[in-house]
Amino acid sequence: MPEKKKEPSYEAAMKQLESIVGRMENGEMDVDAMTEELKTAKKIIKACRDKLTKTDEEIKKILG
């Protein structure tokens, strides 16, 4: 039975985004690498947004 891929924690995802931004700002990537990193960053941002939305909904249920 295949294992479900565990999502990284919010903090780990943010550190990965910070790393990507840092490498871009320092000019450490060529255009091809930057394109791939931007795709990765987009996925990370979506996952973080989804996690925050889910957490917000859970808090509203608890407080509601």
Side-chain angles (χ1 to χ4, degrees):
M1 178 178 260
E3 286 187 37
K4 183 178 178 182
K5 188 175 180 181
K6 186 177 178 186
E7 290 184 24
S9 70
Y10 184 84
E11 291 80 13
M14 290 303 296
K15 285 181 181 183
Q16 188 176 1
L17 281 174
E18 289 170 359
S19 174
I20 291 169
V21 170
R23 291 193 314 270
M24 286 179 176
E25 289 177 342
N26 291 330
E28 297 177 21
M29 291 185 230
D30 62 20
V31 173
D32 293 327
M34 190 177 298
T35 299
E36 288 305 311
E37 291 288 3
L38 285 172
K39 289 178 186 176
T40 300
K42 183 178 178 181
K43 290 177 186 175
I44 295 169
I45 291 168
K46 182 184 180 326
C48 287
R49 185 178 296 132
D50 292 347
K51 188 172 286 199
L52 288 173
T53 299
K54 182 179 178 183
T55 301
D56 184 55
E57 290 170 357
E58 290 173 359
I59 290 170
K60 286 178 181 176
K61 282 182 185 177
I62 291 169
L63 297 176

